[in-house]
Amino acid sequence: MLDFAHIDATNIAEAGGKGAALGELSRIAGVRVPDGFCVTTEAFRRTLAGVPSIDALLDRLARVEPDDQAAVRAVSADIRRAIEDTDVHADLAAEIGAALTRLGEDAPCAVRSSATAEDLPTASFAGQQDSYLNVTGRAAVLRHIRLCWASLFTERAVTYRARNGFDHRGIGMAVVVQRMVFPDAAGTMFTADPVTSNRRTVTVEAGWGLAEALVSGRVSGDVYTVRDDRVVATAIAAKTLDARAAPEGGVHEAPVEPERRTRPALTAPQAVRLARLGRSIEAHFGRPQDIEWCRVGDDFHVVQSRPITTLFPVPEAGDGDGDGENHVYVSVGHQQMMTDAMKPLGLSFWQMTTPRRMHEAGGRLFVDVAPMLATPEGRAGLMESLGGSDPLLGDAMRTVLDRGDFVRTDHDATAAPAGTAPAGGPPAPVEADPALVDELIRSAEASVATLRSEIRDLSGPALLDFIRSDIAELRRVLFDPRGLPLIMAGMEASRWLNEHLEAWLGERNAADVLTQSVDHNVTSEMGLALLDVADAVRPYPDVVAFLHRVVDEDREGDAFLDEMAGLDGGPQARAALRGYLDTYGMRCVGEIDITRTRWSERPAALVPALLANVRNFAPGEGGRRFARGLEEARRKEADVLARLRALPDGEDRAARTKGMIDRVRAFAGYREYPKYGMVCRYFLYKRALLREADRLVRSGVLREAEDVFFLRFEELEEVVRTREVDAGLVQRRREAFRSHEALAPPRLITSDGEILNGRYRREDAPPGALAGLPVSAGAVEGRARVVTEIAQADLEPGDILVTAYTDPSWTPLFVAVTGLVTEVGGLMTHGAVIAREYGLPAVVGVERATRRIPDGARIRVHGTDGYVEILDRLD
């Protein structure tokens, strides 16, 4: 047993999360914690060891699937029953008795579970185990301690652990015993706004008596919003129930007297004093807290504090950003179509690649745009470029600006938003010459070929030095000053066509058709090339059957390609797949993270899309698809030019339009190439680094090769040079990455921690329609296929793909669908560009589309107007 005075954050293994937190709370000046002690996890384990057949029961539990609720219920009930029926051993019972005497022989107590995986920074486990109030007497306390131990195996606790990867045998249970406090009022307090995540706002909820009914959600409490030592909002609830101590032990709920129901449970000064107490607790623990409190008269007691695990962390400003200044962080992932968490090596490579300073939070990267928003020129540029491409982000930025006091305008400054498109102005005067693109691609391919040759035999510090120096070459190619004018010319020409053809002819989004089947688009070519691979596979039933087994077995590695050699048609199929991987095998989902598994490393990820092509299309579909798009673009060009010539000044308008069409068709495809070149280099870096990691594993420096993914590049340099690694750091990074994966990154987050995802301010969508950004014209009806992983896609002709985001790796699926809906995206992001080239109606930026659109529902996608209608929720 341990008294609170002997418990701190280092005692989680003995006292559990709640016990450790109470020990820490008792050390904070000004914080009153009801006196008590902790029955340690060692006592639990000693008791558990004496439970008959416990090992057999835990073995049964380990074999149960978390979704098999009937089995979970049965096995967990058997374990609880066995623990509840076991006596507390005599010496522990004597210790508990002596501790209860110190609290007061007949003092009512709270007996509360405190698991070792409870109230942790990465998993709260809130409400998973049981607690009991108003327990009086030694025998009753001992019985309720056993009940707390048994509650480690409630159905909800077992399921939660299984789904979050916690080993049932690895969790210990301590029990906290405290002197009961019978409050006049009680409740909860969040030191960050639980809705907006704003760290400057404290939210206090209060009700009469004990907080049991309030915490459980059976009644509403008063809500006080406190900011900067001032109550800025108050909502007084009708408090209908009051939890009180029952004479026979425990608590009971009684109706609140009518005259007290709408009386505030706290005064404004009390709410401010409570918020200050919360800030002291938050400062002690170093992160926002979820706190339970009681008020007795005018005194506050704190009975629990746990970290708020659902908050997205605030990016760190770092040196040079100015203490006390406000920052507005925009998500890089939403711009790059990769909102998943990245591993440390991936983060550091992207930071070395980009010219913009980027800030980390939750395994994602953010750019502080506050300095740009503070200048009239920068503000206009950002709102046109980022806000125009992503209206939700534009609305979020506008919300911050409209407040007037968060980002103050410096009218004398003229800082332009580096890295964004220039605001307004005519298209860049670049001649529509496809040879310019050919030259850029040849130059980039030559650079990659040189890298492939020079990196092949390097190892040790020389390899790391080479990669660091080659990053400069990567940046030179990626940001080639000859390339940006071509990309901008294509984008500006597309915008010019849409604006002018709508004004002159009433044609909305005409550029969407005019840019179908353009040359030099390496990403759209990738999707069509997989159709050609299907042509090589389709004639051979044995190969097709073998590839179905590859999918069923979820094969790792590429060994299955060689296994096909003995099949009829196997050599031809293998050659086609190998050829595809030679050109596109460096791609994968989330490819901007260098640590992601590439198609060349796991070709089985492509097989479902390949088999869908075999099943759904006739030979030659790749060529026909490109020719069909090209013919549609030519027909549209002829149509608009003919209609323009019939207008006043028609020849001039037609000539200007023809020039823009030529420009957009010459340069639109190149926009996808720089990223492809970057990913080619990333894959070569990755293969070389994994060879080095294998050497470090063989020499005993690393436990496994993928440990390098959890080191930043500069840390990896040090490990390679010293042959030493901080294994604890690697493990902590792994655990942090798992917690980051569960977080949803915001489009925009301020330095106050406030999350703003924006909203569509429009009234043109029908009632019930899901609003989004129109990025590829047309309307289409079909079956919604909600897909979260490419390898699990089961698509049929006519389906509409609904997913969170698409990067280039999703392109092979585009050939099999008739429309696209994504949660993330903009006018010029990957999904939009390829949807236009393939002629797929598309709406992006549809909030929570994968949860709001049922898989199999019939939907209509309005790619011209930007909304989605759910027509029928059944297949």
Side-chain angles (χ1 to χ4, degrees), residues 376-593:
E377 181 184 354
R379 180 176 301 183
L382 275 179
M383 294 304 295
E384 181 166 348
S385 58
L386 295 184
S389 176
D390 183 349
L392 292 176
L393 177 57
D395 183 72
M397 290 191 293
R398 175 56 59 194
T399 300
V400 173
L401 292 172
D402 286 348
R403 292 173 179 170
D405 60 349
F406 195 84
V407 177
R408 299 188 183 278
T409 303
D410 183 353
H411 292 282
D412 297 326
T414 58
T420 61
V430 180
E431 181 183 357
D433 182 3
L436 298 174
V437 175
D438 291 331
E439 173 57 29
L440 284 167
I441 290 175
R442 282 195 299 269
S443 175
E445 288 176 342
S447 180
V448 170
T450 300
L451 167 63
R452 184 179 292 110
S453 173
E454 292 180 347
I455 203 172
R456 183 179 297 119
D457 298 322
L458 293 177
S459 63
L463 170 63
L464 277 293
D465 291 342
F466 175 83
I467 290 175
R468 182 174 284 281
S469 66
D470 193 74
I471 292 289
E473 173 66 5
L474 164 59
R475 292 175 63 160
R476 183 195 69 78
V477 175
L478 186 60
F479 305 110
D480 191 321
R482 298 173 299 168
L484 181 59
L486 305 190
I487 293 172
M488 294 307 302
M491 293 171 61
E492 290 290 349
S494 178
R495 182 167 65 176
W496 189 96
L497 287 166
N498 282 334
E499 290 176 355
H500 285 76
L501 293 180
E502 182 172 7
W504 292 342
L505 300 176
E507 281 272 356
R508 295 187 62 187
N509 302 317
D512 292 358
V513 179
L514 293 168
T515 53
Q516 290 184 28
S517 296
V518 297
D519 290 329
H520 301 114
N521 190 322
V522 68
T523 306
S524 63
E525 291 167 359
M526 176 175 66
L528 300 179
L530 196 64
L531 287 168
D532 295 338
V533 177
D535 290 349
V537 169
R538 190 180 294 105
Y540 305 106
D542 289 350
V543 172
V544 173
F546 175 80
L547 291 175
H548 277 290
R549 291 197 299 275
V550 168
V551 173
D552 292 341
E553 296 166 9
D554 195 21
R555 293 284 195 97
E556 298 291 337
D558 62 357
F560 75 87
L561 294 176
D562 292 331
E563 291 179 39
M564 289 193 299
L567 301 174
D568 179 31
Q572 296 92 320
R574 180 180 59 177
L577 264 169
R578 288 283 189 197
Y580 187 88
L581 293 172
D582 287 344
T583 306
Y584 305 111
M586 75 296 295
R587 312 216 82 153
C588 66
V589 175
E591 62 190 11
I592 68 169
D593 181 353

Side-chain angles (χ1 to χ4, degrees), residues 322-339:
D323 291 338
E325 293 186 5
N326 292 333
H327 304 283
V328 179
Y329 299 104
V330 169
S331 165
V332 173
H334 282 77
Q335 306 303 310
Q336 291 294 327
M337 297 299 96
M338 214 294 275
T339 55

Side-chain angles (χ1 to χ4, degrees), residues 57-73:
L57 288 168
L58 290 174
D59 286 343
R60 281 176 55 199
L61 187 61
R63 293 192 295 269
V64 172
E65 292 295 328
D67 293 331
D68 187 349
Q69 289 302 299
V72 169
R73 187 178 305 115

